[in-house]
Amino acid sequence: MPAARPRRLHLNAFLMNAGHHDAAWRHPLTQPDRLTDLGYFQHLARTAERGKLDSIFFADGLALWGKVKHNALGGFEPLTLLSALATVTQRIGLIATVSTTFNEPFHTARKFASLDHLSGGRAGWNIVTSGTVDEARNFGQDEHLEHGLRYDRAREFVEVATKLWDSWEDDAVLLDRVHGVYADTGKVRPIDHRGEHFAVRGPLNVQRSPQGYPLLVQAGSSEDGKEFAAQYAEAVFTAQQTLADGQAFYKDVKNRAARHGRREDDLKILPGICPVIGSTEAEARALEQELTDLQVPEYGLAQLSGMLGTDLTGLPLDGPLPALPEERDINGNKSRFTLVAELARRDGLTLRELIARLGGGRGHRVVAGAPEQIADQLEEWFTQGAADGFNVMPPHLPGGLEDFVDHVVPLLQERGLFRTEYSGRTLREHYGLPRPAGRRAPAASATEGQPA
């Protein structure tokens, strides 16, 4: 019997403009003038691919996040950007956020199938329900949909999208030039979906893509979010501050997946980590302090107000958090609310201290140290049942990503924890996940089955 393959961790690079620290754009290491420069993002993508990372990821929102007066915000729509990056990379996965609340399944399925074809099977979809009233107000709504209703819609949205990807069978295209038959119309079928939120006839107008479905990613850690992840997600971007919290989340979601008839390994857990890297720990700590010193308190307070659903304007920065609403009364990002509130209470942080702690990771774990210390942290969480890999969030770009690729990745490779070469070509292969076989759509009627 062949020996089992050693377990290897997965690494995703979460790329955000000048970097994840909210003051990164003010630091001389960064290039905030290049946020709409394709060449800048091509360099980042190639750097991540040079490090043999599984994927790069762009978050997205449907409103201008934060106070643009004090941060380098805005930029490219991610699917458009990833289509351009597909042409200058060969192996690295390409993951984009698309909201199920303010999009339609047909549009979304079509765009991801297109990206999967353009990239040779490297597309991934981070499924979000959107979390802010500002987004709702860009789509003719005065208030955001209720949290549970957003997840109900998301479940049906994903079901419709997967039906559309399955509406073309793998062997539907015959390409019979002699007889003038391009496709077997018995294998290109309507889905005839009618549900609570969507009515979609289909079929999709894009042939079945190399991966069948894009890699399905999810990032919510509320009760609704964890249950959704357990049922649908293949990778989970999550935020925990302590090893114990990471282990509890990991066990919880894996157990939920089993209740949905899935294997534990069908779902990869990738906690976020913001690594502040120096040649020594002292150098890393100094860089971390430089970034903290560049923070604009007004910006941090506004961000914190949004996370906690509480207007903190005018409160003394050196005072404690005020009384907060109950989690059940939060209609935005419930999991981030809970994490931030617990962090402040556990460590007795003032508002100023909390803003500093959140500057690099917005609730994700920030680790400052030499490359060996960063690698030690990743190895501990990976081997102690808290992670299958990591969502790496460089605090400043491009240097933070270059430091990780050039100094941390080689250590992980030496320890046998990470690949030294890509063994597959598709994103699913990188994550060790199967290609969906596809479900047969309902048989078409005689008229529906005729060629267009």
Side-chain angles (χ1 to χ4, degrees):
M1 186 174 179
R5 290 182 61 188
R7 182 169 172 254
R8 298 280 176 81
L9 59 80
H10 302 283
L11 295 174
N12 172 76
F14 180 178
L15 304 178
M16 181 174 281
N17 285 358
H20 279 269
H21 199 284
D22 61 32
W25 71 278
R26 300 184 67 195
H27 199 283
L29 288 173
T30 65
Q31 302 169 12
D33 55 315
R34 300 188 67 194
L35 302 191
T36 52
D37 177 351
L38 177 59
Y40 172 70
F41 291 99
Q42 288 174 332
H43 172 72
L44 296 176
R46 287 173 175 143
T47 300
E49 188 166 66
R50 176 164 57 79
K52 314 303 180 188
L53 272 60
D54 295 68
S55 48
I56 57 174
F57 161 58
F58 292 96
D60 192 39
L62 296 167
L64 185 61
W65 284 340
K67 287 182 174 291
V68 73
K69 178 179 179 180
H70 298 303
N71 201 353
L73 304 171
F76 291 122
E77 186 280 318
L79 278 170
T80 307
L81 175 58
L82 288 175
S83 295
L85 297 182
T87 66
V88 297
T89 55
Q90 298 296 320
R91 296 293 187 92
I92 197 158
L94 308 167
I95 302 175
T97 290
V98 171
S99 169
T100 59
T101 303
F102 302 113
N103 285 286
E104 290 290 322
F106 193 94
H107 284 137
T108 301
R110 185 186 189 199
K111 290 173 183 177
F112 277 106
S114 297
L115 178 61
D116 208 45
H117 279 291
L118 289 168
S119 64
R122 295 185 283 139
W125 174 21
N126 179 44
I127 305 161
V128 301
T129 65
S130 297
T132 69
V133 69
D134 286 341
E135 292 170 287
R137 289 172 181 169
N138 284 335
F139 291 86
Q141 300 176 23
D142 292 328
E143 297 296 333
H144 206 3
L145 291 178
E146 187 271 326
H147 189 271
L149 180 59
R150 297 203 304 271
Y151 273 98
D152 288 341
R153 177 184 165 98
R155 291 184 186 92
E156 187 178 344
F157 193 112
V158 173
E159 289 171 4
V160 176
T162 55
K163 288 178 182 178
L164 287 166
W165 291 319
D166 286 337
S167 65
W168 287 68
E169 295 184 29
D170 284 322
D171 58 352
V173 176
L174 301 178
L175 206 61
D176 184 345
R177 290 187 170 110
V178 173
H179 297 96
V181 178
Y182 173 74
D184 180 346
T185 50
K187 297 182 177 183
V188 184
R189 301 182 177 185
I191 66 170
D192 290 325
H193 175 90
R194 285 198 171 272
E196 183 178 353
H197 301 282
F198 305 106
V200 181
R201 183 171 183 272
L204 193 63
N205 57 350
V206 182
Q207 294 82 341
R208 189 162 171 84
S209 75
Q211 291 189 113
Y213 307 167
L215 180 79
L216 300 180
V217 184
Q218 189 267 353
S221 298
S222 65
E223 286 301 306
D224 284 329
K226 288 187 288 188
E227 197 62 27
F228 182 88
Q231 187 171 0
Y232 298 106
E234 295 166 308
V236 178
F237 296 157
T238 183
Q240 279 81 43
Q241 287 283 327
T242 68
L243 177 62
D245 286 346
Q247 290 168 324
F249 179 88
Y250 186 96
K251 183 177 181 181
D252 183 7
V253 176
K254 297 276 187 172
N255 286 342
R256 291 175 191 242
R259 293 199 295 271
H260 285 282
R262 304 178 66 195
R263 298 178 304 125
E264 285 192 4
D265 207 37
D266 290 341
L267 188 153
K268 312 295 184 183
I269 308 294
L270 283 76
I273 181 168
C274 179
V276 185
I277 304 170
S279 59
T280 64
E281 181 178 358
E283 186 178 297
R285 296 279 180 200
L287 174 58
E288 184 178 36
Q289 188 60 51
E290 287 174 16
L291 291 166
T292 297
D293 291 344
L294 291 171
Q295 284 188 291
V296 178
E298 181 185 341
Y299 180 85
L301 204 60
Q303 293 293 95
L304 188 56
S305 296
M307 291 181 193
L308 296 176
T310 302
D311 186 2
L312 305 174
T313 306
L315 292 180
L317 289 174
D318 294 310
L321 273 180
L324 299 175
E326 297 292 326
E327 181 188 310
R328 64 175 178 269
D329 298 324
I330 296 295
N331 194 34
N333 188 329
K334 289 179 180 285
S335 56
R336 194 56 50 88
F337 166 86
T338 301
L339 186 150
V340 171
E342 288 180 352
L343 173 64
R345 291 170 183 145
R346 183 186 70 222
D347 294 352
L349 301 177
T350 65
L351 288 176
R352 189 188 305 277
E353 291 167 335
L354 186 55
I355 289 169
R357 290 281 287 273
L358 297 174
R362 302 175 309 284
H364 293 272
R365 192 165 56 113
V366 178
V367 180
E372 293 80 4
Q373 293 172 298
I374 305 298
D376 289 345
Q377 288 284 315
L378 301 184
E379 182 173 6
E380 180 183 29
W381 280 52
F382 180 62
T383 59
Q384 297 301 310
D388 295 306
F390 298 91
N391 193 20
V392 181
M393 305 165 57
H396 61 94
L397 289 171
L401 178 62
E402 293 165 345
D403 289 343
F404 186 85
V405 163
D406 292 335
H407 302 295
V408 178
V409 167
L411 295 174
L412 298 173
Q413 292 169 332
E414 289 171 10
R415 299 178 190 189
L417 297 172
F418 191 61
R419 70 173 66 86
T420 55
E421 292 293 340
Y422 289 110
S423 59
R425 299 204 69 88
T426 72
L427 180 53
R428 289 182 165 277
E429 289 172 332
H430 298 343
Y431 278 90
L433 295 166
R435 182 182 188 273
R439 300 165 296 180
R440 286 182 63 86
S445 68
T447 55
E448 290 170 343
Q450 296 303 308

